[in-house]
Amino acid sequence: MTEARYIRNFSIVAHIDHGKSTLADRLLELTGTVAKRDMEAQLLDSMDLERERGITIKAHSVRLLYKARDGNEYQLNLIDTPGHVDFSYEVSRSLSACEGALLVIDASQGVEAQTLANAQLAMNNNLEIVPVINKIDLPGADVEETRRQIEQTLAIDSRDAILISAKQGTGVDEVLEAIVAKIPAPTGSPEAPLQALIFDSWFDSYRGVVVLARVVQGTLVPGMKIRLWSNNQVYTVEQLGILTPTAVPVESLHAGEVGFVIANIKRVADTKIGDTITQDDRPAAEPLPGFEDIKPMVFAGLYPVETSEYESLRDALEKLRLNDSSLFYEPENSAALGFGFRCGFLGLLHMEIVQERLEREFKLNLITTAPGVRYRVTTKDGTVHEIDNPTRFPEPNEIAKIEEPVITALILTQDDYLGGILALAEEKRGIQKGFDYVGPKRVLLTYELPLNEVVLDFYDRLKSVSRGYASLDYHFSGHWESNLVKVDLLVAGEPVDALSFVCHRDHAQIRARSLCERMRKLIPRQLFEVAIQASVGSKIIARENVAAMRKNVLAKCYGGDITRKRKLLEKQKEGKRRMKRVGKVDIPQEAFLAVLRVNE
Amino acid sequence: MDSLGLYIQVPFCASKCSFCNFSSRVARRDVYDRYCQALATELERLPEFYRASSIGENVLEIPVDSAYLGGGTPSLLESVRLEKLATAIQQRFQFGSKPEFTIEVTPGSADESFLQHIRRLGINRLSIGAQSFLDRELRSVGRLHSGEDTRALVRTARAQGFANISLDLIAGLPHQTEASWSESVQSLIALRPEHVSVYLFEIDEKSRLGSEVLKHGVHYHAGSLPDEDFVADAYDHARESLREAGYLQYEISNYALPGYESRHNRKYWQLQPYLGLGAGAHSCDGQSRWENVTAVEEYQSRLEHGQSPISERHRLTTKAQVEEFFFLGLRQTSGVNLAEAVDRWGGEHIARLTARIDSLEEHGWLERRDGRLCLADKALLLSNEIFQEFVSA
């Protein structure tokens, strides 16, 4: 058993691409945890997608043994955190399993929005923050400016910031020494009633659910009956272990240690991140603080392009959910798109990842409807409805009020781009909460923004108005009442459910017009004129026409090649059969795809 | 069985037009000899090839009332080769008393002596690919001739005694305008051809221009292509002008002065037997359809090795025959005779379609004229939409 004073639990936090994973790799290498020849670049990002996108999606942990300059051997538990705003709850839980965090900042980029958001999360969890200035070997590196930003933006003493180049290995040994010297040792007593924090879990087809936990106090041993605080389920510990990063079984996990627990748990959904594990017959007096039931924030319909793939889509979602309890789905039926699922995600990235995994790992071809949020609609009879699907909105005259989810966004930018960003935030109905110069040319903007505007295209637009220089981080901060309307799209008088959307009344007409125009270009001419209309309730707010078809004829005869004529007729007929029929209008599936994909 | 049509495919051109979605290619002249030799071999050995493909040889005994040299540009073969070819055909088949013998001619590719020569071979009908009378439009699609070349060809042909001339126009070519189309139609009418075909440019991936349009490119003047509405208006305009000038429309894209409807063309629409010779040529004996290999090289090499050039043959089921009866027969303004179909295939095959026919009549797409079922005027340009109702997919 390692004494608590020789244990350090820490995370690495950084803005995307500031070098978090590279530093983690160097630490593993330098402590001999992984031999250099076995290093696959960025070892901790184990999913293909994570490696490709350079983002950590799941949390991980790995135990390093480090012989410090004081002559003692230390057990360092590196708890890696998800690297995206969608997963900020998980980040905060992972951080609460640590006593300290390395805050990595790219010397050529300086402090970015995610640096700030992560630093705030770490401070809220009372972590000791060790600033690490990375990429000092780059020609554009400006160490002094980065120090200044650390002081001014983050209010962290930067005098002891460690200067490194994780890529070249420069300064990494100093990082290890700083972990030992600056980050406090854990304090809980191994004899106290058990409190262990779940900060990650996954499903293993042989072992069932594997839980990653930090023992805060008490001791876990195999055979112990444990209870999960949030649902009162009791399990028997079958195996304990640590990741080095390969799994190594251990006989116990004591207060201060980090490791995995296998206890015949069947469903990942039962092991909620942030939950407390205690001993069934000697429970702790209270759970660890900070637990929340995480709720999906972004919603979209997922439909198979081929109706025959519905079953496969359901199986695939079921499999993904085995390892991703934050993924929510339920069957949904659209007149235009057929059978599919309404899915809930933590955010846009989470949605993209799920979509991509379904397409890549399960070889499914999908149509995704426009992402939306969950509204709180109060009808005149006083009932409150939580509605995440526009088609379920009550009629306008039944609605007393609509509240929409709101986020607090942190935007860090060079002041050159302020004009465009302020205009964008205004257009997106943002309310400015803060405007602070954190350097001679650097501004930190704080905004409250409706989430539905953010999921639409806010991030892409922000990137384009700032030429990629503004960084964004946000967290959910409540609801506000808003003048929202549901807009329906009608083709030849029939509503196309998949294209209904909710937006602010002031934006309804402009968006409705643009949608009608795009649909006009995508609906093939039919034998009759087709009206494309957008309506709010019974009021038409935009209209386009698809003129009747004038010509579909084969004139030439090709030296008696009748087979060619027949094939063309058959192909056209087959093409119609594959279209989605709305009322009496045939709409090609590609039209839905194009409308749903195109960003205005 | 009454009479047989012959089609001889000459898949060569002096240059390839951008709108062309046929199988044709530009070749050196020495290739022509080899190809003509292959044609001669095919003609000679037809009976054994038919036996091998289980095609009734009796079709070879039906008297020919129409022969058609198409392409490509058959006039490229020049008089000597054409003479050999015509002789071989006339030896192989039994010709009726007044056969229609057509050759497709590109303006600028046929001079006086050529016309004189082929006239002596029994060729009595010219099908001239005028396409447009505006030089700018002709140039933009890669035609090598001018509007004046077309006029000159017609004058020379008349002088040589050709009394049955057909001219083609294409609506929907790049740079066409309402005014230029009208000019082309008027120029054509002024030449008083006995027969006129008005085609519409078809956008498909088989032509260079079509495939450029499909990928929204700008090569081949794809950016100057008129739209669907223009083409539809152009069609209506030509139809009206030709009617006023005394031409009768007898098929979706064909018009003739009374008595000059193309015998050859009608065979296609009326399920009459026709045999195709040459690379990629198509044949039908009423029971089966078959075709030769399309690649010139393979066609030649098969024949040089004593093999049959037939690449595909399929029997027409009764259902397929009935479907063809409608989607081909309805192309003619005279339409189809339902009683004839009942006689030929039995009532139940037609009864199956009654509900669909009734519904199309109800919507005004089909109508009865003199007891026959015909496409309504408004359905001519939308005929594929109507015909789809008659094919199973």
Side-chain angles (χ1 to χ4, degrees), chain B residues 54-349:
Chain B
S54 313
I55 296 158
E57 292 160 62
N58 50 345
V59 69
L60 295 170
E61 308 309 321
I62 305 172
V64 171
D65 67 346
S66 156
Y68 197 103
L69 281 158
T73 311
S75 46
L76 282 180
L77 293 187
E78 297 169 339
S79 357
V80 180
R81 291 190 195 84
L82 287 173
E83 181 167 354
K84 275 193 200 161
L85 191 56
T87 313
I89 294 166
Q90 279 148 356
Q91 276 169 3
R92 167 67 260 183
F93 292 94
Q94 203 192 318
F95 274 70
S97 59
K98 280 185 178 166
E100 176 187 279
F101 198 163
T102 309
I103 184 169
E104 286 180 352
V105 184
T106 306
S109 76
D111 59 12
E112 191 178 340
S113 84
F114 173 83
L115 293 170
Q116 197 175 34
H117 198 115
I118 59 167
R119 179 109 181 83
R120 283 208 302 272
L121 301 176
I123 295 176
N124 52 22
R125 186 170 179 271
L126 299 180
S127 172
I128 299 172
Q131 321 307 15
S132 163
F133 282 83
L134 284 96
D135 295 349
R136 176 177 191 206
E137 291 168 15
L138 290 166
R139 263 199 313 275
S140 77
V141 292
R143 300 290 289 184
L144 300 177
H145 62 88
S146 65
E148 190 44 44
D149 289 336
T150 305
R151 293 188 185 92
L153 176 57
V154 173
R155 275 196 302 271
T156 317
R158 292 292 187 210
Q160 291 305 318
F162 282 95
N164 191 351
I165 294 177
S166 176
L167 289 177
D168 294 355
L169 284 183
I170 301 181
L173 293 181
H175 303 296
Q176 241 167 23
T177 63
E178 217 174 292
S180 78
W181 176 249
S182 172
E183 191 182 330
S184 280
V185 172
Q186 290 315 317
S187 305
L188 175 139
I189 290 172
L191 293 172
R192 296 308 291 173
E194 283 69 25
H195 186 277
V196 178
S197 298
V198 178
Y199 297 127
L200 311 178
F201 171 58
E202 281 165 20
I203 298 169
D204 62 28
E205 69 293 339
K206 292 193 182 83
S207 70
R208 286 171 296 162
L209 175 54
S211 100
E212 188 69 15
V213 173
L214 290 175
K215 59 182 191 221
H216 306 290
V218 294
H219 297 292
Y220 305 113
H221 302 259
S224 310
L225 206 70
D227 64 12
E228 175 181 335
D229 291 314
F230 171 88
V231 179
D233 289 341
Y235 178 88
D236 289 342
H237 171 82
R239 209 169 148 249
E240 190 59 23
S241 309
L242 287 163
R243 195 181 58 76
E244 282 168 13
Y247 290 87
L248 302 175
Q249 181 176 23
Y250 69 96
E251 196 261 351
I252 289 174
S253 36
N254 289 297
Y255 305 78
L257 293 176
Y260 285 94
E261 296 87 353
S262 162
R263 224 183 265 172
H264 191 80
N265 248 318
R266 301 210 103 168
K267 293 185 185 298
Y268 298 148
W269 317 134
Q270 296 174 352
L271 311 187
Q272 290 173 19
Y274 57 90
L275 303 181
L277 304 168
H282 295 260
S283 306
C284 177
D285 63 3
Q287 305 301 316
S288 296
R289 294 194 176 280
W290 65 96
E291 63 182 270
N292 285 349
V293 290
T294 309
V296 172
E297 185 55 43
E298 193 188 350
Y299 169 79
Q300 291 171 158
S301 133
R302 281 204 190 186
L303 285 158
E304 284 158 7
H305 292 89
Q307 295 160 348
S308 167
I310 297 173
S311 70
E312 247 181 78
R313 167 188 171 262
H314 56 269
R315 283 198 69 80
L316 293 170
T317 60
T318 303
K319 188 158 155 287
Q321 289 180 38
V322 173
E323 289 176 4
E324 289 188 352
F325 173 80
F326 283 100
F327 79 73
L328 297 173
L330 284 171
R331 295 184 63 92
Q332 309 169 102
T333 50
S334 60
V336 295
N337 183 349
L338 290 179
E340 183 195 324
V342 173
D343 281 353
R344 218 159 145 181
W345 297 289
E348 74 274 23
H349 285 286

Side-chain angles (χ1 to χ4, degrees), chain A residues 27 33 93 132 233 260 308 346 352 432 478 491 507 516 529 531 568:
Chain A
L27 296 178
T33 312
R93 292 307 82 206
V132 175
Q233 300 276 345
F260 64 82
S308 60
L346 295 176
E352 270 174 46
Q432 198 180 86
V491 171
H507 295 166
C516 287
E529 184 184 75
L568 182 104

Side-chain angles (χ1 to χ4, degrees), chain A residues 115-216:
Chain A
T115 322
L116 179 59
N118 280 321
Q120 283 175 352
L121 276 178
M123 287 184 230
N124 293 344
N125 280 294
N126 296 316
L127 264 53
E128 178 67 35
I129 295 175
V130 179
V132 175
I133 300 178
N134 189 21
K135 307 199 189 181
I136 54 167
D137 57 311
L138 288 187
D142 187 341
V143 173
E144 282 321 302
E145 170 60 18
T146 307
R147 274 189 211 278
R148 212 190 45 68
Q149 289 179 14
I150 292 173
E151 302 254 345
Q152 194 157 352
T153 318
L154 308 176
I156 295 173
D157 188 343
S158 71
R159 278 171 299 179
D160 294 339
I162 306 166
L163 307 184
I164 68 164
S165 162
K167 199 168 140 212
Q168 298 183 338
T170 326
V172 179
D173 44 352
E174 292 308 321
V175 174
L176 284 164
E177 280 300 314
I179 292 170
V180 169
K182 290 195 171 166
I183 294 177
T187 52
S189 152
E191 281 77 39
L194 179 66
Q195 273 182 329
L197 174 77
I198 299 179
F199 63 86
D200 194 15
S201 67
W202 64 86
F203 187 81
D204 180 289
S205 38
Y206 299 105
R207 312 301 310 268
V209 176
V210 181
V211 174
L212 274 186
R214 152 74 196 271
V215 182
V216 175

Side-chain angles (χ1 to χ4, degrees), chain A residues 83-136:
Chain A
H84 192 272
V85 47
D86 283 5
F87 308 101
S88 58
Y89 172 72
E90 280 95 327
V91 176
S92 114
R93 292 307 82 206
S94 293
L95 290 177
S96 74
C98 307
E99 279 75 29
L102 304 178
L103 181 66
V104 178
I105 302 148
D106 182 331
S108 66
Q109 305 292 322
V111 170
E112 301 276 11
Q114 235 183 318
T115 322
L116 179 59
N118 280 321
Q120 283 175 352
L121 276 178
M123 287 184 230
N124 293 344
N125 280 294
N126 296 316
L127 264 53
E128 178 67 35
I129 295 175
V130 179
V132 175
I133 300 178
N134 189 21
K135 307 199 189 181
I136 54 167

Side-chain angles (χ1 to χ4, degrees), chain A residues 7-12 20 24-25 27-28 33-34 43-46 50 56-65 75-82 90 93-95 97-98 197-202 210-215 240-248 250 253 256-261:
Chain A
I7 297 176
R8 298 292 182 274
N9 295 313
F10 72 102
S11 278
I12 309 176
K20 178 174 100 164
D25 289 350
L27 296 178
L28 263 61
T33 312
V34 178
L43 203 98
L44 286 182
D45 294 347
S46 58
E50 294 188 337
T56 311
I57 298 163
K58 304 279 288 176
H60 300 264
S61 90
V62 61
R63 180 180 289 188
L64 325 171
L65 294 177
Q75 178 199 114
L76 310 182
N77 293 306
L78 164 56
I79 295 168
D80 200 12
T81 57
E90 280 95 327
R93 292 307 82 206
S94 293
L95 290 177
C98 307
L197 174 77
I198 299 179
F199 63 86
D200 194 15
S201 67
W202 64 86
V210 181
V211 174
L212 274 186
R214 152 74 196 271
V215 182
L240 299 171
I242 55 166
L243 299 170
T244 69
T246 42
V248 177
V250 293
L253 287 172
E257 288 190 308
V258 171
F260 64 82
V261 183

Side-chain angles (χ1 to χ4, degrees), chain A residues 416-592:
Chain A
D416 307 354
Y417 306 109
L418 267 178
I421 295 171
L422 294 180
L424 175 65
E426 172 131 342
E427 182 197 322
K428 296 298 184 185
R429 303 189 280 127
I431 292 179
Q432 198 180 86
K433 293 287 171 183
F435 184 112
D436 302 291
Y437 265 93
V438 291
K441 286 183 66 57
R442 239 171 130 64
V443 176
L444 172 63
L445 296 169
T446 312
Y447 267 93
E448 282 196 338
L449 279 160
L451 181 61
N452 85 348
E453 299 283 350
V454 177
V455 301
L456 195 63
D457 58 359
F458 184 76
Y459 192 56
D460 289 339
R461 297 270 306 274
L462 178 68
K463 269 197 290 193
S464 93
V465 296
S466 69
R467 299 204 197 147
Y469 281 109
S471 57
L472 167 74
D473 201 287
Y474 61 83
H475 58 267
F476 174 66
S477 57
H479 283 81
W480 68 27
E481 190 180 338
S482 204
N483 189 3
L484 299 172
V485 290
K486 180 185 71 153
V487 180
D488 288 315
L489 186 93
L490 305 131
V491 171
E494 295 282 331
V496 185
D497 53 6
L499 298 179
S500 294
F501 62 94
V502 173
C503 73
H504 194 270
R505 189 178 295 277
D506 295 348
H507 295 166
Q509 191 160 39
I510 266 183
R511 291 193 189 158
R513 267 192 206 141
S514 136
L515 181 62
C516 287
E517 250 167 63
R518 275 185 284 151
M519 278 306 274
R520 174 175 60 77
K521 291 181 192 143
L522 292 162
I523 294 184
R525 295 166 83 164
Q526 319 266 322
L527 286 172
F528 42 87
E529 184 184 75
V530 176
I532 300 170
Q533 297 161 305
S535 70
V536 170
S538 56
K539 190 177 169 217
I540 302 295
I541 58 170
R543 179 184 170 121
E544 292 279 338
N545 286 325
V546 177
M549 182 195 293
R550 293 287 307 277
K551 166 175 97 77
N552 179 12
V553 62
L554 264 186
K556 247 190 182 303
C557 179
Y558 314 102
D561 185 356
I562 303 306
T563 314
R564 181 164 167 174
K565 281 199 189 302
R566 171 188 284 277
K567 278 189 184 145
L568 182 104
L569 293 174
E570 286 172 352
K571 192 175 144 201
Q572 289 191 347
K573 191 166 183 172
E574 172 65 18
K576 275 190 195 155
R577 208 177 54 77
R578 291 169 54 88
M579 287 191 207
K580 302 282 182 185
R581 185 150 258 233
V582 172
K584 51 176 186 165
V585 181
D586 293 315
I587 305 179
Q589 190 126 33
E590 300 78 58
F592 291 107

